[in-house]
């Protein structure tokens, strides 16, 4: 009798079905048997608790979120929101849920897309939910569950605060389903969730549903990273890899070298290379120099080994595009005639609304031909519609190889059989840095398709200087810490003051994960202080003197010693200063000699304990200082933000001694984004009233655009009223920046006008090729900045007074056209 069918197992299943009937029915309807962690998450929800599920990429943690939606749909009038950090992920989840519940039951809200927003199931970006909470939206009525996918995004320094705002402000009756990558401090995060949300169960799984095999590609061979014979527990690095590294630069005997050379292309490949200086084809060489093989060869090798489809992670857009061209030039074709026909049919259907002249600008024909070959790039520079098509074709197994930047690893459901990492370092904007263990886990987590693959494969290409031990350390560490990036903003401050008043607002901010983590650190510091105080009490007893207060005497000795040291060290001080110090030394010596403890026969014994006491007292005082600086850190920043708001009269004292919003503060409530204060002040001072629609679109773009680090030189600017408004806005930014720094706030980056001319041209109806040339940007980047411009214009159309509100609506219509308006959803 199998273990699964023994009496104990049958009884356990029957008991689970009795106590958790909804989970049992839901699990029976799934394509796969649910894993223990998925069942545990569903049980917690069925019992009425919130849940945090931390599991590896591809483990299937979204099943728990889908069960929460299933529960909401069992009760008439109940709703469920599914939040994601990215519009692409929202779009994908929207389509998946439509397939399950039908179009009428599922909505989508992503800032620039509003489809069926009143539905019982709504997929949205996290910012949309935050805004709904502050506006007390009627859509929140009946909300029972909120799923926060990729909740570890709260560590993101630009957007992370939004996750904490949502978690803190959701109504108490809402059950929260937090889905996270495997983080090392899941229990700490779960403790915070339990503190602010109530009964929360933490479920952590380290197990991948599809095991991951790790390889290093050397000399055209896939060598295992770990020695299987050593057993999983020891995870010993393959000794063959260590030998390869140890013979760097060594000479090999001819037979060995010939064998290696054949595996990387052989004599034929060598004959195709110039033979300078009459050197022999087989040469004594650094092993790394002959091991790396071209991408087309790697693709063909993976194909022969039945390891496709594959994602190659390349940490640059140009590298991704260049890789596709390499494979194309090599004549690689990975699809059958039937698959090519299907690819063309899907691509043409998805792009039929884009004009031919725009398709030509976007390099459509060659891009489609590459897709028909089964090869594609995926990065932020691609038009969003093109990225969505690549994702769909890859999921349908029609595209076999994707060369992608690391953004593909973030949430989108695009698993492969194999993930290839060409390098283990990337450019972070300033220097080339090694990828972290968390990044390695996130990237290789795409390998292995549940229900299709028995195992996934991670392939690291050998490069000069590769250390197999370092790779093994990356592969063995499965976790990274989740740290809060929460900080109060002006918009947050006015919303909190308006809803709760200042004292309660401070309390709410002190309940943030940022403060929770700071307080956890304080607990450790406080323990050190407590230990120090116990030791100090012992020192006090040891130095007790029946003649007087020896602690006071010891303090005089320390002060005298410190002044004497300073005087000896600083011999270049002016004569007046040195004389003052001499006088101080004489005064301290007299005070010592007059002190009753000075004549004690045990004075030096007491003094030794006094020295220890003084040193430990200084350490304890330092620890207390650290505690003071950490406790209430978030609330202190909030106080500084409120001081700026008060100085600018966005808030004013009320008759009860609290604060209330002024009319300007009421407008600030509905302005979201990094530039909330600058936007509000610009509206209040009226410096944008003379702008027409293209100029307002250009100016809004200046407020959201972040220039590239390598962006240099002055760009052309739109003429007329725009230049005056831009100059006034930049001057206003400088005044606000000074005010923020005066209040010990970090300030903000200057307004960047690098995209203004291109946005102005686009709003005036210019052709795509001209606008992309003016922008000097890839189509995907231009669309991304344009959509952020649309978000701001949309806010202006709601909160501004005429004529700016009217102009903003006109600008919205002018900008939302062509490739910007296109959406595959």
């Amino acid at each position: 009798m199998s273990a699964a069918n023994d009496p104990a197992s049958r009884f356990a299943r029957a008991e689970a079905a009795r106590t958790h009937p909804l989970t049992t029915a839901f699990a029976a309807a799934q394509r796969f048997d649910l894993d223990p962690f998925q069942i545990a998450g569903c049980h917690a929800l069925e019992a009425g608790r919130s849940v945090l599920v931390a599991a590896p990429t591809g483990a299937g943690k979204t099943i728990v979120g889908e069960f929460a939606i299933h529960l909401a749909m069992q009760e008439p009038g109940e709703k469920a929101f599914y939040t994601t950090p990215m519009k692409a992920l929202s779009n994908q989840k929207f389509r998946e849920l439509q397939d399950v519940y039908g179009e009428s039951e599922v909505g989508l809200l992503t800032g620039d897309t509003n489809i069926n927003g009143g539905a019982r199931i709504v997929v949205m970006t996290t910012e949309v939910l935050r805004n709904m909470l502050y506006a007390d939206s009627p859509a929140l009525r009946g909300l029972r569950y909120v799923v926060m996918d990729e909740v570890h995004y709260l560590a993101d320094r630009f957007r992370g605060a939004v996750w904490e705002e949502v978690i803190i402000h959701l109504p108490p009756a809402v059950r929260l389903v937090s889905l996270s990558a495997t983080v090392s401090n899941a229990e700490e995060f779960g403790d915070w969730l339990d503190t602010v949300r109530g009964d929360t169960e933490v479920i952590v799984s380290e197990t991948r549903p599809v095991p991951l095999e790790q390889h290093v590609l050397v000399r055209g061979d896939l060598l295992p990273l770990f020695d299987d014979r050593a057993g999983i527990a020891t995870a010993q690095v393959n000794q063959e890899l260590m030998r390869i590294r140890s013979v760097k630069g060594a000479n090999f005997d001819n037979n060995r070298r010939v064998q290696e050379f054949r595996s990387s292309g052989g004599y034929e490949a060598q004959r195709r290379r110039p033979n300078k200086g009459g050197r022999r084809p087989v040469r004594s060489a650094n092993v790394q120099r002959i091991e790396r093989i071209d991408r087309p060869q790697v693709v063909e090798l993976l194909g022969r080994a039945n390891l496709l489809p594959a994602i190659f992670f390349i940490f640059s857009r140009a590298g991704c595009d260049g890789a596709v061209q390499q494979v194309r030039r090599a004549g690689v074709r990975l699809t059958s005639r039937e698959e090519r026909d299907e690819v063309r049919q899907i691509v043409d259907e998805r792009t039929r609304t884009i004009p031919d002249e725009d398709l030509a600008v976007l390099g459509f024909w060659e891009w489609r031909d590459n897709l028909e070959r089964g090869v594609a790039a995926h990065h932020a520079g691609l038009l969003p519609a093109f990225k969505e098509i690549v994702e769909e074709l890859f999921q349908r197994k029609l595209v076999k190889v994707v060369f992608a930047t690391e953004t593909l690893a973030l949430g989108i459901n695009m698993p492969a059989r194999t993930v290839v990492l060409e390098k283990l370092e990337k450019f972070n904007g300033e220097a080339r840095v090694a990828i972290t263990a968390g990044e390695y886990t996130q990237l290789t987590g795409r390998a292995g398709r549940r229900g299709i693959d028995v195992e996934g494969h991670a392939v690291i290409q050998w490069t000069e200087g590769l250390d197999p031990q370092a790779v093994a350390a990356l592969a063995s560490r499965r976790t990274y810490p989740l740290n809060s990036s929460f900080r109060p903003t002006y918009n947050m401050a006015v919303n909190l003051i308006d809803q709760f008043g200042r004292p309660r607002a401070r309390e709410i901010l002190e309940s943030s994960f940022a403060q929770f983590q700071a307080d956890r650190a304080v607990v450790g510091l406080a323990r050190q202080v407590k230990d120090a105080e116990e030791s100090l009490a012992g020192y006090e007893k040891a130095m007790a003197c029946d003649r007087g207060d020896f602690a006071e005497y010891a303090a005089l000795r320390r002060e005298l010693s410190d002044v004497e040291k300073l005087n000896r060290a600083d011999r270049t001080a002016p004569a007046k200063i040195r004389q003052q110090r001499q006088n101080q030394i004489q005064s301290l010596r007299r005070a010592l000699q007059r002190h009753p403890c000075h004549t004690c026969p045990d004075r030096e014994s007491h003094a030794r304990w006094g020295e220890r006491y003084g040193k430990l007292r200084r350490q304890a005082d330092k620890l207390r200082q650290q505690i003071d600086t950490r406790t209430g850190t978030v609330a202190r920043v909030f106080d500084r933000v409120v001081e700026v708001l008060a100085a600018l009269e966005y808030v004013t004292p009320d008759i009860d001694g609290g604060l209330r919003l002024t009319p300007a503060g009421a407008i600030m409530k509905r302005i979201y984004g990094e530039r909330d204060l600058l936007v509000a002040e610009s509206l209040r001072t009226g410096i944008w009233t003379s702008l027409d629609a293209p100029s307002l679109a250009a100016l809004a773009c200046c407020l959201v655009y972040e220039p590239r680090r390598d962006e240099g030189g002055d760009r052309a600017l739109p003429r007329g009223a725009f230049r005056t408004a831009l100059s006034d806005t930049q001057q206003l930014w400088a005044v606000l920046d000074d005010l923020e720094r005066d209040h010990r706030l970090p300030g903000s980056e200057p307004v960047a006008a690098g995209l203004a001319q291109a946005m102005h041209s686009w709003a005036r109806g210019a052709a795509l090729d001209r606008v992309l040339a003016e922008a000097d940007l890839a189509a995907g980047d231009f669309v991304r900045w344009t959509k952020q411009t649309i978000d701001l214009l949309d806010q202006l159309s709601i909160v501004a007074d005429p004529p700016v509100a009217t102009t903003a609506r006109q600008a919205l219509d002018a900008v939302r056209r062509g490739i910007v308006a296109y959406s595959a959803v």
Side-chain angles (χ1 to χ4, degrees), residues 554-564 584 588:
L556 283 170
R557 282 178 60 132
R558 278 195 305 276
E559 187 179 0
L560 175 60
S561 175
D562 289 344
V563 176
E564 286 177 335
Q584 187 181 4
L588 287 168

Side-chain angles (χ1 to χ4, degrees), residues 413-474:
N413 181 25
M414 230 177 116
R417 177 164 293 172
T418 304
V419 163
V420 180
L421 300 183
E422 294 193 344
K423 292 180 180 176
L424 295 175
E425 62 178 21
K426 65 176 185 176
F427 186 69
N428 68 356
E430 295 176 352
R432 299 208 69 81
V433 296
I435 64 172
T436 65
E439 288 168 332
Y440 183 92
T441 302
Q442 193 83 358
L443 295 167
T444 57
R446 290 282 148 217
R449 298 163 300 172
R450 188 168 188 168
I452 301 173
D453 299 320
V454 176
E455 61 204 9
H457 299 267
V459 175
I460 313 302
Q461 281 198 261
W462 186 279
T463 55
E464 189 170 358
L466 184 81
D467 180 1
Q469 294 280 16
V471 180
L474 280 177

Side-chain angles (χ1 to χ4, degrees), residues 149 223 233 241 274 316 376 401 443 459 517 571 580 689 717 782:
D149 204 354
L223 300 182
L241 292 172
S316 84
V401 171
L443 295 167
V459 175
Q517 288 191 306
R571 297 183 181 279
Q580 287 174 350
T689 54
L717 294 174
F782 177 72

Side-chain angles (χ1 to χ4, degrees), residues 527-540 543 558 608-624:
R527 191 177 296 114
Q528 291 179 53
V529 170
K530 182 172 177 287
D531 293 343
E533 291 292 351
E534 289 174 359
S535 298
L536 286 169
Y539 293 170
E540 277 188 280
M543 69 178 184
R558 278 195 305 276
R608 283 194 293 274
W609 286 108
E611 286 299 319
R612 294 174 191 171
Y613 179 90
K615 186 177 181 182
L616 189 57
R617 170 56 66 197
R618 288 193 293 273
Q619 289 175 359
D621 289 345
K622 248 185 206 175
L623 289 170
R624 278 205 184 84

Side-chain angles (χ1 to χ4, degrees), residues 294-461:
D294 292 337
R295 287 178 183 127
Q297 292 174 280
V298 178
V299 170
E300 289 174 343
L301 182 152
L302 295 178
R304 288 194 302 273
N306 196 28
L307 293 179
L308 296 180
I311 299 172
F312 286 65
F313 282 111
I314 301 173
F315 300 115
S316 84
R317 300 177 187 184
C320 292
D321 293 334
V324 172
Q325 290 304 316
Q326 264 188 294
V327 174
R328 177 190 177 88
R329 284 195 299 270
V332 173
R333 192 179 291 280
L334 305 171
T335 51
S336 66
R337 166 62 63 188
E338 293 75 18
E339 287 174 325
R340 290 197 287 278
D341 291 342
E342 191 176 351
V343 166
R344 179 167 293 217
Q345 181 182 347
I346 291 170
V347 172
D348 289 350
E349 171 61 26
R350 300 291 184 272
T351 58
R352 61 186 168 78
T353 59
I354 303 178
D356 283 353
E357 57 269 25
D358 287 353
L359 290 176
V361 172
L362 298 167
F364 170 81
W365 316 110
E366 185 177 302
W367 173 75
R368 188 182 67 179
D369 183 62
N370 291 332
L371 292 177
E372 290 177 18
R373 291 172 178 271
V375 181
H378 188 289
H379 55 70
L382 279 179
L383 189 68
F386 284 16
K387 281 198 295 183
E388 290 167 15
I389 291 167
V390 170
E391 291 159 16
E392 180 182 351
L393 294 176
F394 194 79
Q395 288 162 3
R396 288 177 178 236
K397 308 182 189 68
L398 296 170
V399 163
K400 320 289 185 179
V401 171
V402 170
F403 297 97
T405 55
E406 70 267 34
T407 53
L408 180 59
L410 302 174
I412 296 171
N413 181 25
M414 230 177 116
R417 177 164 293 172
T418 304
V419 163
V420 180
L421 300 183
E422 294 193 344
K423 292 180 180 176
L424 295 175
E425 62 178 21
K426 65 176 185 176
F427 186 69
N428 68 356
E430 295 176 352
R432 299 208 69 81
V433 296
I435 64 172
T436 65
E439 288 168 332
Y440 183 92
T441 302
Q442 193 83 358
L443 295 167
T444 57
R446 290 282 148 217
R449 298 163 300 172
R450 188 168 188 168
I452 301 173
D453 299 320
V454 176
E455 61 204 9
H457 299 267
V459 175
I460 313 302
Q461 281 198 261

